[in-house]
Amino acid sequence: MFSIALAMTLFQGPAEVPDDVLMTTKGRTYSGVVLLQTEENIILGMGSKTKEFDLDKVQNITGPRASYGLYVDKLEWVYAHASPSKDAVKLATWCKANGLLRDVEIHYWQALVKDPENAAAHQALGHRQSGDTWQAPIAGSQWRDLEALDQWHSDKDNPWEFRSAHFDVKVNGPLADALRAVAHLELLYARFYDVFQQAGGIHELRQPIAVRIYTNRESGYAEISANTFGYFDRESEIINTWMHEGRAVNLVRLACHALQFRCVTETANARPEDYPGWLNEGIATYFEASFTENEGLSDFFFDRLDADWLRVHHQAKEPLELDQVLNLPITMGDRGDSQLAFAQSYSLLCFLLHNEELPILSGFKAYLHQVFRGKFSSSVFKKSFKKKTFKGLEKKWADFVEKSALRNQMK
């Protein structure tokens, strides 16, 4: 279960996030974590065991995971530029009532971003009023107003510490930027599962992903390479990056790396040491290319193909063959032709995921199911398709890239 650790405040939330509750048509109830729901069944995690239920024998499901889809819709509105402070307080209250207890605190803080004088939010967070000014507690029994609090949390040793449904985030910088990063991670999580949960049979994460965001590149961020702009450390399982102009650098790509790693770790119950590099970067590039900035939460538009990446593949004098792409390592960014490797990983992912030919799409989904259960080799990819389908796959991929590139030139 997830404990509620708070960001240097007196706010006291419940100690645990409640289970989901499933009721069968016979009136029996089961408690656990809804790991996966398909058109046919539901998989419920019950401690170290799982139990599968036929969907037509389930009467209803209640709990935080059942409410998550509606929560994301509300999240987008509360972090929109025009949303009022009172709606953030309402969302905090709604989260408390629907079991999303890890997310309650961030919305009270968001209410203060919208209206620094929101008394309900201050009181819920355990702040005190001193004259006309509200103050929050920090280490050493000291108190700071919101402006001084932003300054205090800009120091690398005093990050904000926020929890959401799927992330534990330590972040330096202004409150508004910190909260947007946390909310954006939850939106990304939701979109990732929209795309891949059914296609790959991945399970809901039971443990949060750790994230460390520094004020800037020079303020404590641990470099691993001058050309590496943030990274997901597969040993510590922490996303590391920094803020630039109010946004966390490369957060989409890094979170996609972390999500793939953790989905395999939890679904297959094994560390993905040989995870295919093309899929790791193909998915990350796919989300990054679909990412669209706006004043509130930035969202993803997956029907839009990235013309620049397709052009790199299309114009390559010697593109990598399919078998070469399938065997790209997780360290493919170190290659001399890394741009081509990234471009072809992206184009292959788009070709497979958006394919209108059922044998190709079905084969790719079968491959994803194997990948998220710890089977990564190129032979697994090949065996996921019928022989006739796989034989024509490379030619059809090349045709897809050419047609897509030409279509983009005509725009």
Side-chain angles (χ1 to χ4, degrees):
M1 291 299 180
F2 303 143
S3 64
I4 306 297
L6 301 179
M8 298 296 184
T9 76
L10 295 180
F11 177 88
Q12 294 296 319
E16 295 183 342
V17 172
D19 282 347
D20 300 308
V21 178
L22 180 149
M23 179 180 287
T24 68
T25 52
K26 293 183 177 180
R28 293 192 64 183
T29 60
Y30 297 86
S31 296
V33 177
V34 175
L35 299 175
L36 176 65
Q37 180 172 339
T38 71
E39 294 178 353
E40 299 176 350
N41 56 48
I42 292 173
I43 297 176
L44 190 69
M46 304 166 68
S48 61
K49 299 179 180 180
T50 60
K51 185 172 179 63
E52 189 171 318
F53 299 84
D54 292 336
L55 193 60
D56 59 4
K57 295 181 180 179
V58 175
Q59 183 169 315
N60 61 57
I61 310 170
T62 58
R65 291 90 188 169
S67 303
Y68 186 72
L70 180 56
Y71 169 58
V72 173
D73 292 339
K74 292 177 179 290
L75 187 71
E76 288 191 87
W77 165 245
V78 164
Y79 286 80
H81 182 66
S83 66
S85 179
K86 65 180 182 180
D87 283 356
V89 173
K90 288 181 180 178
L91 182 54
T93 304
W94 184 90
C95 285
K96 195 180 298 183
N98 286 274
L100 287 150
L101 306 183
R102 288 174 55 90
D103 299 71
V104 172
E105 183 208 11
I106 62 171
H107 304 315
Y108 283 129
W109 281 109
Q110 177 64 8
L112 297 180
V113 168
K114 297 289 186 176
D115 176 12
E117 304 303 319
N118 188 307
H122 280 297
Q123 290 165 0
L125 291 167
H127 298 173
R128 73 180 186 184
Q129 194 167 18
S130 177
D132 295 331
T133 304
W134 284 95
Q135 297 177 328
I138 58 172
S141 300
Q142 301 178 61
W143 295 80
R144 296 284 190 277
D145 62 24
L146 288 181
E147 184 176 346
L149 206 59
D150 267 348
Q151 183 62 36
W152 195 76
H153 284 300
S154 67
D155 187 287
K156 68 178 179 64
D157 295 324
N158 305 317
W160 298 98
E161 295 186 29
F162 292 126
R163 273 60 172 166
S164 67
H166 302 99
F167 298 90
D168 286 344
V169 185
K170 292 183 178 181
V171 51
N172 294 113
L175 176 61
D177 296 341
L179 291 171
R180 183 170 57 241
V182 178
H184 182 211
L185 282 164
E186 280 303 326
L187 179 62
L188 171 60
Y189 180 94
R191 298 295 179 256
F192 185 89
Y193 273 74
D194 286 344
V195 175
F196 292 111
Q197 186 163 42
Q198 298 295 324
I202 57 177
H203 288 180
E204 160 78 6
L205 291 188
R206 300 202 205 194
Q207 297 297 323
I209 294 172
V211 184
R212 183 65 177 94
I213 306 172
Y214 295 88
T215 304
N216 52 51
R217 195 168 187 172
E218 295 76 33
S219 62
Y221 165 79
E223 289 277 9
I224 59 172
S225 166
N227 296 320
T228 300
F229 298 91
Y231 56 95
F232 170 63
D233 187 329
R234 292 165 66 88
E235 294 305 315
S236 65
E237 300 187 22
I238 300 174
I239 295 171
N240 296 272
T241 187
W242 67 89
M243 286 288 187
H244 178 68
E245 297 181 351
R247 303 277 180 169
V249 173
N250 258 354
L251 189 60
V252 172
R253 178 173 293 277
L254 304 179
C256 283
H257 290 166
L259 282 167
Q260 291 177 79
F261 179 92
R262 289 296 305 283
C263 284
V264 175
T265 300
E266 293 197 14
T267 303
N269 195 28
R271 288 176 63 86
E273 303 299 347
D274 300 320
Y275 193 83
W278 82 268
L279 190 63
N280 189 50
E281 298 299 352
I283 288 176
T285 306
Y286 177 72
F287 272 79
E288 195 172 63
S290 304
F291 178 64
T292 301
E293 295 265 12
N294 58 47
E295 291 180 331
L297 287 190
S298 302
D299 212 337
F300 302 86
F301 295 90
F302 298 115
D303 292 334
R304 182 185 63 209
L305 297 179
D306 188 280
D308 293 333
W309 283 118
L310 290 170
R311 190 180 302 114
V312 171
H313 182 178
H314 182 243
Q315 295 180 353
K317 292 182 180 179
E318 294 184 13
L320 302 173
E321 295 179 358
L322 176 59
D323 193 59
Q324 291 176 291
V325 174
L326 295 177
N327 285 288
L328 286 168
I330 202 81
T331 56
M332 57 186 278
D334 297 333
R335 294 170 59 102
D337 60 351
S338 61
Q339 285 296 98
L340 179 59
F342 276 76
Q344 291 195 238
S345 296
Y346 168 71
S347 68
L348 181 58
L349 189 283
C350 291
F351 164 68
L352 295 168
L353 189 60
H354 291 278
N355 208 288
E356 295 181 355
E357 293 187 33
L358 186 59
I360 294 177
L361 183 58
S362 297
F364 181 51
K365 289 181 177 180
Y367 168 68
L368 288 177
H369 274 75
Q370 295 282 2
V371 165
F372 288 113
R373 279 149 187 82
K375 299 177 182 178
F376 310 123
S377 69
S378 58
S379 63
V380 169
F381 182 93
K382 296 172 186 176
K383 291 176 182 178
S384 299
F385 298 85
K386 294 179 180 179
K387 289 184 178 180
K388 183 179 180 181
T389 301
F390 182 78
K391 186 176 181 179
L393 204 62
E394 189 157 16
K395 175 64 167 60
K396 290 183 178 181
W397 173 32
D399 291 344
F400 163 80
V401 172
E402 181 172 9
K403 290 177 183 178
S404 298
L406 292 173
R407 191 179 303 116
N408 283 320
Q409 288 178 10
M410 297 173 62
K411 291 182 180 179

